[in-house]
Amino acid sequence: MSEAKERTGLLSAAEKEISTVYDPHAVEAKWYQIWEERGYFHGEVEQDKPPFSIVIPPPNITGQLHLGHAMDTTMQDILIRWKRMQGFNATWIPGMDHAGIATQAKVEEYLRENEGKSRYDLGREKFIERVWEWKEEYGGRILRQLRRLGASCDWDRQRFTMDEGCSQAVREVFVDLYNKGLIYQGDYIINWCPRCSTALSDIEVEHEDTLGQLWHIKYPLAGGSGEYVVVATTRPETMLGDTAVAVNPKDARYQHLIGRTCILPLMEREIPIVADEYVDMEFGTGMVKITPAHDPNDFEVAQRHGLPAILVLDGEAKVTEAGGKYRGLDRYEAREAVVRDLKSQGLLEKIVDHQHAVGECSRCGHTVEPILSKQWFVKMKPLAEPAIAAITDGDSHFVPERFSKNYLNWMENVRDWCISRQLWWGHRVPVWYCGCGEVIVTKEDPKACPVCGSTDLRQDPDVLDTWFSSALWPFSTLGWPEKTVELEHFYPTSVLVTGFDIIYFWVARMMCMGLEFMGEVPFRDILIHGLVRDPLGRKMSKSLGNGVDPIEVIEEFGADALRLSLVIGTSPGNDTRYREEKVEAYRNFANKIWNVSRFALMNLTDFQPDGTSLGDLELSLPDRWILSRYQGIIEETTRWLDRYDLGEAARALYDFIWTELCDWYVEMIKPHLYGRAGEAAKQASQYVLWHVLEGTLRLLHPFMPFITEEVWQHLPHEGETIMLASWPKPEAAYADPEVEAKMTAVMDMVRAIRNIRSEKKVAPGKEIPVIIHAGEEGLAVLAEAQGYLTVLARVGDLDVQPMEAIKPEKAMTAVVGGVEIYLPLAGLVDIDEEIARLEKELKETGQEISRAQGKLANLGFVTKAPAEIVEKEKQKLVSLQEKEAMLQDRLKELVD
């Protein structure tokens, strides 16, 4: 394995010496600018390389970075950097969403507060101009913030859902679906937000359980008999629009009333009593009022029975003219007035408390009003069928798989999607109306009516739901409807990284549109992550005041520390808690990397790996051990990344770097580096230290891109940037389980001696005598490792003897891996305390033996657990029993 390396790259002459202290701000600003200016993020189409592509979930142009974005972005960046290093033709397409409701509300608020104007004062055209101006000035802040986090997006491919190409794609899709009969206009019950003044799709409504009331109202039977029926409702104000009362045809209590009529209280309108299986016999009185214009279920009942629909609430949630004397009242004022009048006429039987779900606008939090309205809809059933098959047939996979159930449940029960919004900002519905009655649906603005030739055409005033353009994102961003080389090469995208909260809003709809217009799924894998919560497990929100600004965290601790804190301890699909002390811990980890790298560089000043290979060197035990562990960490990190378990990949690297590389290997080879073990040992450890550190930096780069680039540039290396360096591959020749077992034994011995020193408060610098009794295997290990043991455990006089040697009296004892360690007590410990310590350890060992025996006596464990796990438990029991025997012998010696 001969390697030619040089200390070149992108460092200036003034930067050749690594600074004493790690300054994340200087390092991050420097490297991001270099990466972006040199085009390292860009993925030009290279047909000879396998493609790997990600589209960013486009943040709103009104947005600014929060911890959810930071986690989502970090996960995507880890994957794209990893695949880029693996040699894939990688591109990560960034962009922004025009966010119809949110952006319009923001600009309207700005106009109101700064100019005292409304959008109506400006008019539609001028208002849209102002939104574009606002977008240019304030929009995109979040993309600038993503750069602070280290996002290696392909900025040359940046898109916007209302740019020319995406707008063309929207029209193409709308017209195509319309011509196929999959987009239609109709009068249906939609969710209406009086505050936002627009329709909402079902999934834009959040349902909150609320303690309300159930009013029981008397409806007199027609004919003047004095009889009445009692109807229970949670919304008495909508009774003004009742056109029937319904009962269940199986309800024996009301069979005699079916087909009769009753008088609608307050309105004095005669309405029929109909039978419909929709009615729940257990709810209220088992009789319900039917208000077709203000309830989706009532609307369907009305369709089945040919009932009229009377609109009694308008877009501002005020009573219409159809509401008679209540006209103009707000819905809640109308409720009070209706209830008051019912009471005065003796028509209110009772009021009871009632827990029920109330729909709220996900944007503004106001109560949504079901209302009959003419809107544009997408027929979802025909589109959902192939999207369901895509998951059940395995064309796309959810990670974790459990989220496929959520997706499939929603898709199998999908309702038609209301796509029109009563806004000005957004993709305007591409439909025009002529006075002759012709409806024109076209990709290009029509100049004249194709029927009568009139040029007096009126475009539909509504815009499309923001999610309509977002649903096309995986292919519209790659140039569709044009057949671009990017579209051919990078579609389907490789993985979508997103939160579980938009599976219905976005993932499902992208799946439908991708299959309909590209004939393929839009992404192979769907990696779902949870929420970032506060330390108490609460969702972060303005109302709780518990939000955290990631930019402030970066200012204090650095981007690498924040990135690592957002992935370690986080598993796919699960929520995580943000804790500042966790970020601080990973800032300390960055400092650890910096310090060990400085130490390495100080001891590599006379080193160049040119023309040397590992096979030429006289490798010591720690050299062979760290090389073997390095092969293991390459395999483990890659395996976790392949499974999309980024948290476990990062944790494995953290443990390897902090414990094995820094705390053990570097400490063990210091005598080598200082020349105390001869020139051959020095050269070998220099080479291995460089080889493992350089490779480990490459493994860590996707997680901590800034510090890894800075350190890597100071080491001998090949290439301009670590970003484009190759991902390490394990070399089987250097994997050595036997050496790892030896080193484990040495480390166990060192820990045992250190524990006794700590327990007895022996001064750190004081050397102590140690006696070790070992079997043949242990003696062989100690023959090779004796020098490392004395240095790491601060041992002065080490006496190694076979196991059958006479046990020393009056000594502290530790038993590890079949080796007995004795520390003479003279001047070291109190005999009585040592007896108490041994008794305590003996008791704990006995408890562990009981647990292991209980486990092995459990038939369920022995028969169902993997064979290797059962065998491991048996070996553990044998080891514990040997330890118990040794402790008993030692205790007997001290007591006697």
Side-chain angles (χ1 to χ4, degrees):
M1 190 176 68
S2 177
E3 305 179 52
K5 314 287 176 186
E6 53 187 60
R7 295 175 195 258
T8 60
L10 302 174
L11 292 174
S12 66
E15 296 176 295
K16 290 299 179 183
E17 291 296 322
I18 192 167
S19 63
T20 306
V21 179
Y22 178 52
D23 178 2
H25 304 115
V27 167
E28 289 164 13
K30 173 181 71 178
W31 286 117
Y32 200 90
Q33 183 179 354
I34 290 171
W35 291 334
E36 189 168 3
E37 286 177 352
R38 293 189 173 234
Y40 294 147
F41 301 153
H42 182 57
E44 197 63 42
V45 171
E46 296 179 63
Q47 299 290 358
D48 59 334
K49 287 185 178 181
F52 186 88
S53 56
I54 302 176
V55 289
I56 198 170
N60 293 352
I61 58 171
T62 60
Q64 65 180 37
L65 196 67
H66 59 63
L67 284 176
H69 289 130
M71 182 170 72
D72 190 271
T73 301
T74 297
M75 292 172 70
Q76 292 174 80
D77 196 47
I78 289 169
L79 292 172
I80 205 76
R81 286 179 183 272
W82 169 49
K83 287 297 181 181
R84 198 182 280 126
M85 294 175 77
Q86 281 193 320
F88 283 77
N89 189 192
T91 186
W92 178 17
I93 299 173
M96 294 181 294
D97 193 291
H98 65 279
I101 294 176
T103 306
Q104 179 161 316
K106 202 84 172 176
V107 177
E108 286 193 82
E109 180 184 12
Y110 177 86
L111 289 171
R112 184 171 58 254
E113 293 181 356
N114 293 278
E115 300 177 22
K117 293 179 180 177
S118 73
R119 59 173 162 143
Y120 300 104
D121 294 325
L122 272 66
R124 184 168 191 146
E125 190 175 330
K126 290 290 183 186
F127 176 76
I128 292 174
E129 286 178 10
R130 292 296 295 272
V131 181
W132 278 106
E133 289 172 11
W134 186 93
K135 182 254 179 189
E136 293 304 316
E137 187 170 355
Y138 299 106
R141 171 176 50 180
I142 190 168
L143 295 186
R144 293 190 291 274
Q145 291 174 325
L146 292 184
R147 287 170 162 86
R148 291 292 306 276
L149 197 62
S152 59
C153 295
D154 194 339
W155 297 110
D156 294 342
R157 300 189 189 280
Q158 184 174 325
R159 301 301 301 269
F160 177 49
T161 50
M162 282 183 62
D163 66 26
E164 186 177 348
C166 289
S167 298
Q168 182 186 355
V170 165
R171 281 206 176 182
E172 188 89 18
V173 167
F174 185 98
V175 173
D176 186 85
L177 292 177
Y178 178 84
N179 290 336
K180 291 175 179 174
L182 294 175
I183 282 183
Y184 65 93
Q185 191 179 37
D187 289 315
Y188 284 86
I189 295 287
I190 51 96
N191 305 296
W192 181 268
C193 177
R195 170 67 178 79
C196 297
S197 298
T198 188
L200 304 172
S201 67
D202 289 341
I203 54 178
E204 290 173 297
V205 179
E206 295 177 350
H207 293 277
E208 293 288 335
D209 271 347
T210 306
L211 181 61
Q213 293 179 311
L214 199 58
W215 286 267
H216 291 248
I217 304 168
K218 299 175 182 176
Y219 283 49
L221 290 173
S225 65
E227 295 177 277
Y228 59 84
V229 295
V230 178
V231 171
T233 180
T234 59
R235 306 189 62 217
E237 69 278 8
T238 62
M239 68 176 290
L240 305 174
D242 286 1
T243 57
V245 167
V247 300
N248 192 298
K250 298 174 184 174
D251 196 332
R253 294 173 295 175
Y254 303 125
Q255 290 291 319
H256 65 291
L257 295 175
I258 297 170
R260 294 185 62 180
T261 59
C262 58
I263 305 300
L264 178 63
L266 308 182
M267 301 304 289
E268 301 302 317
R269 189 165 62 241
E270 191 170 341
I271 58 176
I273 300 173
V274 300
D276 197 282
E277 291 188 351
Y278 150 71
V279 180
D280 181 358
M281 292 185 283
E282 303 300 319
F283 177 77
T285 64
M287 301 191 85
V288 296
K289 58 195 245 0
I290 300 299
T291 318
H294 297 284
D295 183 278
N297 295 310
D298 291 2
F299 179 79
E300 291 178 9
V301 172
Q303 294 286 296
R304 289 194 287 271
H305 296 275
L307 302 171
I310 301 172
L311 197 67
V312 292
L313 291 173
D314 63 16
E316 295 179 358
K318 291 182 178 180
V319 179
T320 66
E321 288 188 9
K325 71 173 187 175
Y326 305 100
R327 179 173 58 118
L329 292 179
D330 169 81
R331 54 183 164 174
Y332 300 118
E333 295 171 341
R335 178 177 297 178
E336 291 178 7
V338 165
V339 170
R340 186 171 57 247
D341 290 349
L342 288 170
K343 281 182 180 177
S344 67
Q345 295 181 28
L347 296 174
L348 188 62
E349 184 177 78
K350 62 179 178 179
I351 306 172
V352 296
D353 289 340
H354 177 64
Q355 193 83 18
H356 65 128
V358 175
E360 295 178 354
C361 174
S362 61
R363 301 283 185 179
C364 70
H366 281 63
T367 300
V368 167
E369 195 64 51
I371 198 168
L372 186 65
S373 175
K374 188 179 287 293
Q375 300 287 343
W376 289 97
F377 293 84
V378 175
K379 280 185 184 175
M380 290 300 293
K381 284 286 186 188
L383 296 173
E385 288 169 5
I388 290 169
I391 296 298
T392 57
D393 294 348
D395 296 327
S396 280
H397 306 88
F398 276 92
V399 180
E401 195 277 332
R402 69 177 185 269
F403 285 100
S404 63
K405 296 173 186 172
N406 304 50
Y407 168 94
L408 292 171
N409 182 60
W410 188 75
M411 281 295 217
E412 286 161 0
N413 297 282
V414 72
R415 294 174 58 177
D416 285 357
W417 173 16
C418 176
I419 56 169
S420 45
R421 299 290 181 270
Q422 289 62 53
L423 303 170
W424 287 356
W425 172 246
H427 295 281
R428 197 152 173 193
V429 174
V431 175
W432 287 260
Y433 306 99
C434 180
C436 73
E438 181 68 8
V439 176
I440 307 160
V441 181
T442 179
K443 299 170 189 175
E444 306 294 336
D445 290 8
K447 293 183 170 54
C449 174
V451 175
C452 70
S454 172
T455 57
D456 185 17
L457 305 177
R458 178 178 62 85
Q459 187 173 1
D460 194 301
D462 291 349
V463 300
L464 294 169
D465 179 9
T466 295
W467 295 101
F468 190 88
S469 51
S470 300
L472 319 182
W473 194 244
F475 54 92
S476 65
T477 52
L478 291 169
W480 189 91
E482 301 300 321
K483 293 182 178 178
T484 63
V485 290
E486 288 82 4
L487 185 65
E488 182 183 353
H489 188 62
F490 290 120
Y491 188 93
T493 64
S494 306
V495 59
L496 176 75
V497 181
T498 191
F500 66 79
D501 51 334
I502 55 174
I503 289 175
Y504 314 135
F505 279 107
W506 195 42
V507 178
R509 289 164 174 172
M510 282 192 289
M511 192 72 81
C512 290
M513 294 301 184
L515 288 162
E516 178 68 17
F517 290 95
M518 294 297 299
E520 282 188 273
V521 295
F523 20 73
R524 297 299 182 198
D525 296 314
I526 306 153
L527 176 56
I528 300 295
H529 60 74
L531 301 175
V532 181
R533 297 184 178 273
D534 76 1
L536 299 177
R538 300 174 301 178
K539 189 174 180 179
M540 292 186 178
S541 67
K542 289 181 181 178
S543 60
L544 288 175
N546 60 350
V548 175
D549 182 353
I551 299 301
E552 292 180 5
V553 179
I554 291 172
E555 290 291 342
E556 185 171 359
F557 300 108
D560 283 337
L562 175 60
R563 287 168 65 110
L564 210 59
S565 75
L566 291 171
V567 292
I568 289 186
T570 304
S571 56
N574 293 330
D575 293 348
T576 186
R577 296 187 183 189
Y578 171 81
R579 292 184 176 89
E580 187 173 288
E581 56 267 29
K582 189 177 175 185
V583 191
E584 187 175 4
Y586 295 123
R587 190 267 313 274
N588 295 341
F589 177 57
N591 290 337
K592 182 92 168 179
I593 294 168
W594 190 258
N595 291 334
V596 79
S597 300
R598 283 189 67 246
F599 171 81
L601 289 164
M602 287 166 58
N603 288 279
L604 294 176
T605 52
D606 60 343
F607 167 78
Q608 277 297 337
D610 298 356
T612 307
S613 73
L614 287 169
D616 302 330
L617 302 168
E618 296 178 18
L619 300 176
S620 64
L621 174 65
D623 290 334
R624 300 198 310 277
W625 169 70
I626 199 67
L627 281 171
S628 183
R629 289 298 306 123
Y630 174 56
Q631 311 314 312
I633 198 62
I634 295 171
E635 287 184 351
E636 187 176 358
T637 305
T638 307
R639 182 173 68 251
W640 287 122
L641 287 172
D642 280 332
R643 297 177 185 177
Y644 293 115
D645 200 332
L646 314 186
E648 279 300 290
R651 180 206 53 75
L653 277 169
Y654 175 91
D655 291 345
F656 173 76
I657 293 168
W658 189 290
T659 303
E660 296 177 308
L661 180 60
C662 297
D663 288 355
W664 287 101
Y665 178 67
V666 169
E667 292 302 316
M668 294 179 84
I669 64 164
K670 280 181 178 179
H672 301 184
L673 298 175
Y674 300 157
R676 296 173 190 163
E679 189 61 25
K682 178 182 177 180
Q683 289 178 359
S685 289
Q686 279 184 319
Y687 191 99
V688 172
L689 176 60
W690 161 76
H691 177 77
V692 173
L693 178 59
E694 189 273 341
T696 303
L697 289 170
R698 282 185 277 147
L699 291 174
L700 187 63
H701 176 72
F703 303 89
M704 301 180 80
F706 294 109
I707 192 171
T708 51
E709 180 75 272
E710 180 70 17
V711 173
W712 187 82
Q713 291 288 343
H714 284 88
L715 287 169
H717 61 266
E718 284 183 340
E720 286 189 1
T721 171
I722 194 172
M723 269 190 61
L724 304 181
S726 62
W727 184 255
K729 293 179 181 178
E731 297 176 84
Y734 298 102
D736 194 333
E738 186 177 330
V739 164
E740 290 191 32
K742 285 182 181 180
M743 270 300 300
T744 298
V746 173
M747 292 188 290
D748 286 344
M749 287 184 247
V750 171
R751 289 191 191 100
I753 297 170
R754 284 176 174 175
N755 287 342
I756 294 174
R757 292 180 63 110
S758 174
E759 187 179 328
K760 296 307 169 187
K761 297 182 174 56
V762 178
K766 181 180 178 180
E767 292 187 343
I768 57 174
V770 173
I771 301 165
I772 296 180
H773 289 186
E776 188 176 332
E777 191 175 322
L779 291 171
V781 170
L782 285 163
E784 190 173 3
Q786 188 167 329
Y788 305 117
L789 186 67
T790 56
V791 170
L792 293 174
R794 301 295 294 171
V795 174
D797 181 21
L798 178 62
D799 183 8
V800 179
Q801 301 178 17
M803 191 63 79
E804 57 270 16
I806 298 171
K807 312 303 181 191
E809 297 181 358
K810 312 298 183 189
M812 291 277 289
T813 309
V815 180
V816 290
V819 173
E820 297 175 1
I821 301 171
Y822 301 95
L823 275 69
L825 294 172
L828 191 65
V829 298
D830 182 286
I831 300 292
D832 291 336
E833 283 185 10
E834 175 61 1
I835 289 171
R837 185 188 72 81
L838 285 171
E839 287 175 339
K840 181 184 176 185
E841 189 173 355
L842 190 60
K843 181 181 177 182
E844 290 172 351
T845 303
Q847 290 170 342
E848 287 188 56
I849 288 171
S850 296
R851 278 195 291 270
Q853 288 173 332
K855 211 169 185 180
L856 291 168
N858 183 337
L859 193 60
F861 170 73
V862 175
T863 56
K864 293 180 181 177
E868 62 270 20
I869 300 295
V870 176
E871 183 57 34
K872 189 176 179 181
E873 196 65 26
K874 288 178 180 177
Q875 291 173 0
K876 177 183 173 184
L877 178 59
V878 171
S879 178
L880 285 167
Q881 288 169 333
E882 290 175 353
K883 180 177 180 179
E884 181 183 48
M886 290 178 182
L887 287 169
Q888 287 169 340
D889 290 345
R890 188 64 196 138
L891 188 60
K892 186 174 182 296
E893 290 168 8
L894 285 178
V895 172
D896 293 346

Short mmCIF file of all heavy atoms in Angstrom, two decimals, residues 392 557 574:
data_model
loop_
_atom_site.label_atom_id
_atom_site.label_comp_id
_atom_site.label_asym_id
_atom_site.label_seq_id
_atom_site.Cartn_x
_atom_site.Cartn_y
_atom_site.Cartn_z
N THR A 392 -46.40 -0.54 -1.45
CA THR A 392 -46.65 -1.97 -1.17
C THR A 392 -45.77 -2.88 -2.04
O THR A 392 -45.41 -3.98 -1.62
CB THR A 392 -48.13 -2.31 -1.39
OG1 THR A 392 -48.52 -1.95 -2.73
CG2 THR A 392 -49.02 -1.55 -0.41
N PHE A 557 -20.93 28.05 19.83
CA PHE A 557 -20.25 26.76 19.88
C PHE A 557 -19.67 26.29 18.54
O PHE A 557 -18.90 25.34 18.52
CB PHE A 557 -21.22 25.67 20.39
CG PHE A 557 -21.75 25.93 21.77
CD1 PHE A 557 -23.07 26.30 21.97
CD2 PHE A 557 -20.92 25.80 22.88
CE1 PHE A 557 -23.57 26.53 23.25
CE2 PHE A 557 -21.40 26.02 24.16
CZ PHE A 557 -22.72 26.40 24.35
N ASN A 574 -37.77 9.35 15.26
CA ASN A 574 -38.05 9.67 16.66
C ASN A 574 -37.67 11.11 16.99
O ASN A 574 -36.73 11.67 16.43
CB ASN A 574 -37.27 8.72 17.58
CG ASN A 574 -37.79 7.30 17.48
OD1 ASN A 574 -38.97 7.06 17.22
ND2 ASN A 574 -36.91 6.34 17.68
#
